[in-house]
Amino acid sequence: MAATRAGPRACEIFTSLEYGPVPESHACALAWLDTQDRCLGHYVNGKWLKPEHRNSVPCQDPITGENLASCLQAQTEDVAAATEAAKTAFENWSQLPGAIRAQYLTSLAKTIQKHQRLLWTLESLVTGRAVREVRDREVPLAQQLLHYHAVQAYTQGEALAGWEPMGVIGLILPPTFSFLEMMWRICPALAVGCTVVALVPPASPTPLLLAQLAGELGSFPGILNVISGPATLGPVLASQPGIQKVAFCGALEEGRALRRTLMGQWAELGLALGVESLLLLTDTADVDSAMEGVVDAAWSDRNPGGLRLLIQESVWDETLRRLQARMGRLRCGRGLDGAVDMGARGAAARDLAQRFVHEAQSQGAQVFQAGDVPSESPFYPPTLVSQLPPASPCSQAEVPWPVVVASPFRTAKEALALANGIPRGGSASVWSERLGQALELGYGLRVGTVWINAHGLRDPAVPTGGCKESGSSWHGGPDGLYEYLRPSGTPAQQSCFSKNFNYDTFGLTVSPTLPAGPEIGPSPALPYGLFVGGRFQAPGARSSRPIQDSLGKLHGYVAEGGPKDIRGAVEAAHQAAPGWAGQSPGARAALLWALAAALDRRKSTLASRLERQGVELKAAEAEVELSVRRLRTWGARAQAQGHSLQVAGLKGPVLRLREPLGVLAIVCPDEWPLLAFVSLLAPALVHGNAVVMVPSGACPLLALDVCQDVATLFPAGLVNVVTGDRDHLTRCLALHQDVQALWYFGSAQGSQFVEWASAGNLKPVWGNRDCQRAWNQEAEGAGPELGLRAARTKALWLPMGD
Amino acid sequence: MTPHPAKTKRFTERICNGGKKEKEREICGERAVFISLTGAGRGRAMFLLEELHGSRVGPMPCYSPIGRITKLAKDWRLADLSWISKIQVNHPAVLRRAEQIQARRTVKKEWQAAWLLKAVTFIDLTTLSGDDTSSNIQRLCYKAKYPIRDDLLKALNMHDKGITTAAVCVYPSRVCDAIKALRAAGCNIPVASVATGFPAGQTHLKTRLEEIRLAVEDGATEIDVVINRSLVLTGQWEALYDEIRQFRKACGEAHLKTILATGELGSLTNVYKASMIAMMAGSDFIKTSTGKETVNATFPVAIVMLRAIRDFFWKTGNKIGFKPAGGIRSAKDSLAWLSLVKEELGDEWLKPELFRIGASTLLSDIERQIYHHVTGRYAAYHDLPMS
């Protein structure tokens, strides 16, 4: 018999039946680092870039503290070089047929498959996360992402006709992230023909490895460039000329700051902020399964953040008992151990959790910690915080990893109110065995993703994103593709940045207006006032502004709106919004068609008013006719919204819902006083939004004409039109925290201001930045872009089985 | 501790006279008393029971649906079974958990060897074939006594731990053979016998009960009974309860393992309900399947049964055993089952009194793995004795 290999401990283990270490060898990760002489630079233009005289940061094993490699920190020149490479690559890459890009993505997927061990050991080694999660979930998902987007690239010619790639995309990643976050964003960007410069935090080698694997496929250097550098480099990358879009994921305040830095500049900004998730547990749920959902969400190294747990009061005790028992069975340890649930994420994450828990405790919360956790410092045990007073600062703050904050609710209605009262709107799961209740909650939650009786499922075909302070960018599915596309023919976004812009004074005051003479009177006479809450009301300022016609003569007086009027209009819109959103698409369409018919009857008045503004009669008649048609067109599109998706590995559908934004503020352009007004109003209404509109400054009278018909047809408060000083009203709307989105068509200064001011509640802003838009053209005046902007997506996962 | 018949009578009289909505019925002799009480009456009944026994009677119900079960020595009383119909198990979520649990826990090296040896001590070494005769029963019993080659155990320093399988499991007519063989081998491994019209359970109740009694008379100390699936599928929980109670009584001192035949119950929710009823009716073990259905021991089913066992323990303080059976063939499977029980119920369930694995070919695979662990080589077929 061969020599015995058995250790002496077998009999002890036989008695105790404990788990042992299951180490995963990371030799290949170290070997790869050796090929770089343990010094990582940047991967730019298909080759390694290791500039001299740069600071370097050590890349450490977060658990042992062992130095694995040193990473060079990029400087501005490196960022510029990478951007230049991406710009050059874009010219070729974007012109290739989709089939070639598809081929490239497929071969990258195959490369990842061949070298997956290197990928997962490296990722787990440097991030400290459980290797099981990386190996069994993330690496396969990365391949699925590439395959899915390869198909999208292949069909781009037909499916996405009328759209073109934006250009060079800047991608900014947070200090702790999974390489998958990068994959989610580079796959759609590359698929549609964009090229990418990714700025990763120092000491994160996995993106560099991915870039190397992609680069070594040859033939297309420079489509994926990865540079590593400090967070301060983010704005530098974002403001590089030539970067058309910045996709940022990270913390809320950094995103807000970036929004303010980038206002008025070249790049469009897509934000994905915050990491917290939500779980709603009702009393009909399968509680034990829901506990696994909690583990998936917070304690399995799947999500970057913590969890807010809402439990129905009647099952509170039972749930906490089960949860605490379950927590006792969790195992923390070295990420490269194959049998741990949770690894460590370095000192910063641990300190953050510790601070949160201490604060919660000092505010009166109870803290429960359990699990098999090594006592050494980088680990933080799974933590359950309960009895946190609802008004305490901690109960509003974002819950960090690996903390779960539990609080009770009484009824499903209250659960919705509590959940929607959180400023973030990322993802949530609903646990209920009653279909009706689950759907009610799923539809009612204002978040980007809802899972019914599951948590944390992902698929390349399903869009993932958020709303409210979680930002409004999307990845995955069709929505992820549109992030990197713009309608063909639109010019690249212009920079309208002015350095000496004073945000404090823009539109702060209105110059006083004096009577400009007797009103000759628009005929027929218009009702005077602001159209708010379904009727014409006198403005708060009790003053008026004269409107001149094309000959410089007085055309009439309109009311001078102010902050109070905006407040009233937003309130009225909020009251009307739920009822309108609850209407069927058919009902909305019918009302739009009725409005179209009413405008048709008013045709001659409208045309004559346009004529007085200096439009030729024929052109004026054409504009009115086109406006009527626009209303009918959008009405007809009402039915085609949302659809269901089939995804791999899940039995049951995923619904891609298109939900109203809420209250949408629209500042109309000065030109096309009727057509632009109608073209903006129609998509907003048909997608279920309530609107507050500032009509054309030059000729607001036409909008008021339309309002006369709106007053008789639509519910009160659904459409509000406030006339007055455009800059002043824009300021009020942009700074309003309860306006969910803002469309601004006006001056360069105004654009810069709204982008700056909207950082407050991070409302999505869309505008033209002082570019004329051809409202009479189908593509620009009624294109799919408007429909995309007028609603937000929600993915609703419905697993089935019995 | 069994209440004295006279005392029980007096007690029931007192309850009937004192309460409004109280009623009492006897199910099977003196060992079980059903009481249906509501509101305040329940509290007083608890008090009377305490008086009767001179000590506190079990924990008070922890919460409402199952709250009416309480403990009296080894008997269970419950009011009505309507709460059973409210239980819900989410199928897709349980499937996901089942997938995860196999990937999240593994053991290697010495740990693997020790766990495998432990798994041996959980095995109900089984032969349930039409062609069983005394000779292969004898071989089976010998293998049960010496499951792993002695030199391998010596190499692991485990030869003096008395490692045998937990039991041997045979058809009723082979119980005598098994007992004779085990006696000849000089050991007291218990003999388990399947009964009650195994595997379909589609015979008359009278013959099923008789089958149990005969097997016990022959010397079987563990009886694996199959339940009547039609009672589950038609929702006749009370009838199912009554039937298992009768099995329980027929077993006498022998252990009762109730086979739920989960492959034929239709849904996981039914599995949970049937598990609960079987435990309330006094089973010592609940067992997944006969090994003769098309779907046998699977992880999702096991998760549901283990959760039912834990719920029952939380509510009554009684630990009921678990036995997966059918389709467990590889050593790797057996490790997954051990970690499943460890994760869902905890270490206190990892002992032969509370956990068994019903298997026939599993043992030889475990022996092969031990051989590999000790020698570093893969075993040939002829290296290890057959069972």
Side-chain angles (χ1 to χ4, degrees), chain A residues 17 19 286 288 329 341, chain B residues 90 96 105 310 342-343:
Chain A
L17 269 191
Y19 290 114
D286 174 358
D288 281 308
R329 308 215 186 285
D341 294 302
Chain B
N90 190 280
R96 270 197 309 279
R105 296 285 184 268
R310 187 197 47 204
K342 188 177 162 83
E343 288 297 308

Side-chain angles (χ1 to χ4, degrees), chain A residues 426-693:
Chain A
S427 58
S429 63
V430 173
W431 294 78
S432 166
E433 290 301 316
R434 273 174 31 215
L435 182 65
Q437 186 185 47
L439 288 177
E440 170 78 17
L441 289 168
Y443 273 78
L445 282 169
R446 275 202 293 278
V447 293
T449 306
V450 180
W451 298 281
I452 305 287
N453 293 324
H455 199 107
L457 306 180
R458 302 292 288 274
D459 190 274
V462 180
T464 311
C467 59
K468 297 195 275 187
E469 283 184 5
S470 292
S472 49
S473 78
W474 289 85
H475 49 267
D479 302 77
L481 296 173
Y482 288 122
E483 288 282 312
Y484 306 104
L485 290 168
R486 64 165 149 250
S488 308
T490 12
Q493 182 151 263
Q494 294 301 308
S495 172
C496 60
F497 180 68
S498 136
K499 253 196 179 145
N500 310 318
F501 189 78
N502 191 339
Y503 303 102
D504 297 332
T505 56
F506 174 82
L508 190 61
T509 49
V510 184
S511 49
T513 46
L514 296 171
E519 224 170 340
I520 300 160
S523 65
L526 266 171
Y528 171 79
L530 308 167
F531 184 68
V532 171
R535 59 198 178 85
F536 288 89
Q537 302 183 355
R542 294 287 189 273
S543 59
S544 306
R545 109 183 337 252
I547 301 297
Q548 281 149 355
D549 62 16
S550 56
L551 303 171
K553 284 190 190 146
L554 184 70
H555 194 163
Y557 288 102
V558 292
E560 180 78 65
K564 292 241 167 76
D565 303 306
I566 291 290
R567 187 196 66 188
V570 172
E571 263 170 31
H574 269 293
Q575 277 182 0
W580 182 245
Q583 296 258 9
S584 74
R588 287 185 218 145
L591 279 182
L592 279 190
W593 278 45
L595 183 61
L599 286 198
D600 206 23
R601 284 192 292 276
R602 221 179 261 278
K603 207 190 280 178
S604 58
T605 326
L606 293 169
S608 72
R609 250 197 253 292
L610 278 173
E611 211 181 348
R612 203 156 163 208
Q613 289 298 317
V615 186
E616 269 180 43
L617 181 62
K618 264 210 171 140
E621 274 170 354
E623 184 178 343
V624 176
E625 233 165 70
L626 190 54
S627 303
V628 170
R629 219 163 47 232
R630 282 281 149 83
L631 286 169
R632 294 225 163 96
T633 313
W634 281 108
R637 286 181 195 168
Q639 303 289 352
Q641 287 176 27
H643 54 269
S644 82
L645 306 160
Q646 284 293 327
V647 303
L650 175 85
K651 211 172 144 206
V654 181
L655 306 183
R656 175 180 174 263
L657 308 174
R658 296 286 288 161
E659 295 192 337
L661 298 163
V663 173
L664 175 58
I666 304 175
V667 181
C668 300
D670 272 341
E671 63 276 6
W672 300 100
L674 177 66
L675 182 63
F677 178 82
V678 168
S679 300
L680 289 165
L681 176 71
L685 284 183
V686 91
H687 285 91
N689 302 292
V691 290
V692 177
M693 299 185 82

Side-chain angles (χ1 to χ4, degrees), chain A residues 8-25:
Chain A
R9 294 201 50 210
C11 46
E12 287 164 40
I13 305 165
F14 183 78
T15 327
S16 69
L17 269 191
E18 62 189 7
Y19 290 114
V22 191
E24 180 99 8
S25 161

